[in-house]
Amino acid sequence: MRMERLYRDREEAGEQLAERLLEYREEEPLVLAAPRGGVAVGLPVARRLGAPLDVVLVKKLGAPGNPELGFGAVAEDGEVVLDEELTSRLGLEPREIEALVTQVAAELAERGRRYRGARPAVEIAGRTVIVVDDGVATGSTLESAVMAVRKRGARRVVAAVPVSSLEARSRLEQAADAFVCLLVDPGFLAVGAYYEDFPQLTDEEVERLLTARPQEGGAGPPPSRS
């Protein structure tokens, strides 16, 4: 049977997710979103919580010849998370993995320069950090983000998504201090199956979304009120 799509678009998903995250507002959290789609979810979350918004740069490691099949992920600080079972099944040699990690790390560095310009990454030591994406299938990419944020000294790390598979929930409940998800679907489909409108965002759109929410000490639109 064809399932009803849950969300009109990423903005609506973010607005609904924000309601579940209101308990963290008093902790003056920082919202870090995984580009590209996670930024469109993270913006309404940041607005609702009155929090600054930045990106957490992570990218999956795609299998040779099948880049959509992710066997792990890399964060901008070099943190690597591997799906050991899948890596073994694919028969990947350490040198192949190392070459892919080097390539992805270079892409992340370039993406960071594009999204932030001369601005450094927001300081997160001692803070509550909410890591947001538009959905998780295996969870390896967001797990890598959570581990990178923890490594940078966050006091509490919350992983938050509109939709998740059972596998991803298990991974993220172990990796993060809290996992907030609107729907964990045992029959999980692709993330886009839960949205009516799910376009691939461009880097230009991500830059525009980031400028719609102030960074530390900046001026910008006030948090929306329900």
Side-chain angles (χ1 to χ4, degrees), residues 138-166:
T138 68
S140 62
T141 300
L142 206 61
E143 181 186 14
S144 179
V146 167
M147 292 174 66
V149 167
R150 196 182 293 287
K151 189 176 175 182
R152 288 168 58 190
R155 181 178 68 84
R156 185 201 302 255
V157 185
V158 179
V161 293
V163 62
S164 168
S165 68
L166 287 171

Side-chain angles (χ1 to χ4, degrees), residues 155-187:
R155 181 178 68 84
R156 185 201 302 255
V157 185
V158 179
V161 293
V163 62
S164 168
S165 68
L166 287 171
E167 175 191 355
R169 179 181 68 178
S170 177
R171 294 183 80 146
L172 292 167
E173 282 181 339
Q174 293 182 56
D177 296 302
F179 177 59
V180 177
C181 181
L182 301 177
L183 172 69
V184 179
D185 187 358

Side-chain angles (χ1 to χ4, degrees), residues 24 26 31 64 105 126 130 135 149 176 197:
Y24 297 103
E26 297 306 312
V31 176
I130 301 174
V149 167
D197 187 22

Side-chain angles (χ1 to χ4, degrees), residues 22-62:
L22 285 174
E23 66 182 279
Y24 297 103
R25 182 169 182 149
E26 297 306 312
E27 298 182 30
E28 299 183 352
L30 169 65
V31 176
L32 295 184
R36 297 183 179 99
V39 179
V41 176
L43 178 57
V45 170
R47 281 180 167 156
R48 188 74 177 88
L49 300 185
L53 172 69
D54 198 3
V55 289
V56 55
L57 294 174
V58 289
K59 187 174 180 181
K60 72 180 176 184
L61 290 165

Side-chain angles (χ1 to χ4, degrees), residues 99-164:
L100 286 167
V101 168
T102 299
Q103 176 186 330
V104 169
E107 292 173 11
L108 289 175
E110 176 57 33
R111 197 176 270 189
R113 285 190 289 271
R114 173 154 198 171
Y115 293 158
R116 298 194 185 105
R119 176 177 58 83
V122 175
E123 178 57 51
I124 66 177
R127 302 187 65 171
T128 293
V129 179
I130 301 174
V131 183
V132 177
D133 206 349
D134 54 14
V136 281
T138 68
S140 62
T141 300
L142 206 61
E143 181 186 14
S144 179
V146 167
M147 292 174 66
V149 167
R150 196 182 293 287
K151 189 176 175 182
R152 288 168 58 190
R155 181 178 68 84
R156 185 201 302 255
V157 185
V158 179
V161 293
V163 62
S164 168

